[in-house]
Amino acid sequence: MTENQQYHFSLKTEGHTSDIFIGNYSDILKNIDRSNDAFFITDENLFKFYPSFFKNRKYIIITPGEKSKSFTKIENIYLKLLDAGADRSSLIIGFGGGVVSDITGFIGSTFMRGIDFGFISTSLLGQVDAVIGGKNGVNLSGYKNIIGTFNQPEFIINDPFFFNTLTEYEYISGAAEVIKQFIIYDHDSFYWFRKNTEAFKTKDASFLNELIYRQNKIKIAVVQSDEKEKGIRKILNFGHTIGHAIERESGIAHGNAVAIGMLIEAKIAVELDFLSQYDLNILQETLLDCQLPVKLETDIATLVNSIKKDKKRTGNAIDFIMLEAVGKAKVIQLTFSDLINLIHKVL
Ligand SMILES: NC(=O)c1ccc[n+]([C@@H]2O[C@H](COP(=O)([O-])OP(=O)(O)OC[C@H]3O[C@@H](n4cnc5c(N)ncnc54)[C@H](O)[C@@H]3O)[C@@H](O)[C@H]2O)c1
């Protein structure tokens, strides 16, 4: 596989097929119907880095960052689409990271009761996670992704070339989701990644193509067996129960918070005799190899209070993702009080 070669595969859910491409985005886009006439949604950073892409195209630019995933901002985009003449037969394409793709998916699922949409994903976190699986969510009053739909895009274009303009901070933070997907599901790919962290750091193009391919295949396998997250899909939340609380309290990047969250959740798995100390050490070394944080900077009381706030959403028992070994995880039920006792025990 060279950097110019492309992967093409699909995600099949009930009554729908999404085409997924990995490779040169402008070559791939040429073969997508209606792309010349599509409405693009992007953010200011992408517009600054790739201005020529938008020449002779219809586009809407949003402010980068999580704050754009709000109803007032969404309303504004609906109005701009109407002004620009978008109708039921229009195609909208999100050109950006996870924020842009979540917004595009949400707009595509609701504008005129749903129109076709696709993604050109530009961040590591976007390509391995946000664009695959059909979750399109926006935030409401501090609750993340609480309003949204399950609805699959027509196509996804993942081109690792975009990582060259991504900040180092965002790139490294995306590595947490990479490690998460390998460690919960694919033993061989986890060790393949560990062997190649140098290629990851230097952004070797053919390595990155294969990385995205392996990552997308995992997420597709999980989503195809449980699109609406009633069962196995929940394992993708490994590290997130605690990670979300860390993210909320400390404001660090999502991936950095998930890295620390994975480590604490894996320590709980060791404490409960599900996971070996050896595998816990392997996880820690891999996070450190990728320059991800492993230490909780928030104090434990703040963390626990933040997790308690989540209780409003989930009730007394929560689904806890139990790592059992490299490549293997399952969902178990824990009560909130057990989880909090365990956090105190392992920290
Ligand atoms: N729908 C899902 O299943 C799912 C899964 C995971 C995460 N998400 C969502 O994804 C979002 C996080 O995604 P993200 O980390 O991509 O955040 P993001 O979209 O905010 O991008 C991070 C930053 O990088 C910039 N950027 C993106 N690509 C760039 C590039 N190629 N060059 C230069 N700058 C670039 C953006 O402008 C932004 O400032 C969150 O809102 C999260 O909830 C959704």
Side-chain angles (χ1 to χ4, degrees), residues 19-72:
D19 283 305
I20 303 174
F21 303 89
I22 301 171
N24 182 283
Y25 72 103
S26 54
D27 287 351
I28 297 165
L29 196 64
K30 281 181 202 141
N31 294 318
I32 292 191
D33 285 350
R34 293 183 288 156
S35 68
N36 282 336
D37 210 32
F39 293 84
F40 285 81
I41 297 178
T42 192
D43 75 21
E44 285 157 7
N45 290 333
L46 273 311
F47 190 75
K48 183 181 80 190
F49 281 111
Y50 304 96
S52 60
F53 175 80
F54 295 95
K55 218 170 151 215
N56 301 323
R57 295 190 194 275
K58 293 176 277 193
Y59 56 85
I60 294 168
I61 304 176
I62 63 165
T63 308
E66 200 62 27
K67 287 214 168 92
S68 284
K69 281 172 60 173
S70 75
F71 275 113
T72 37

Side-chain angles (χ1 to χ4, degrees), residues 1-2 12 16 20 29 36 53 82 103 180 184 215 217 231 243 260-261 285 301-302 310 312 314 316 319:
M1 179 92 196
T2 71
K12 289 189 172 61
H16 191 87
I20 303 174
L29 196 64
N36 282 336
F53 175 80
L82 284 171
I103 288 174
K180 179 206 73 185
I184 56 165
Q215 285 280 315
K217 283 290 187 178
I260 302 166
E285 275 171 29
T302 311
D310 243 11
K312 276 197 252 146
T314 41
N316 261 334
D319 292 320

Side-chain angles (χ1 to χ4, degrees), residues 260-292:
I260 302 166
M262 281 195 284
L263 209 60
I264 300 173
E265 292 181 20
K267 281 181 183 166
I268 291 175
V270 172
E271 175 68 28
L272 295 176
D273 270 341
F274 280 91
L275 183 72
S276 69
Q277 182 67 40
Y278 179 83
D279 281 351
L280 170 66
N281 294 347
I282 294 278
L283 170 61
Q284 172 152 332
E285 275 171 29
T286 312
L287 296 170
L288 284 169
D289 256 8
C290 290
Q291 286 145 12
L292 281 159

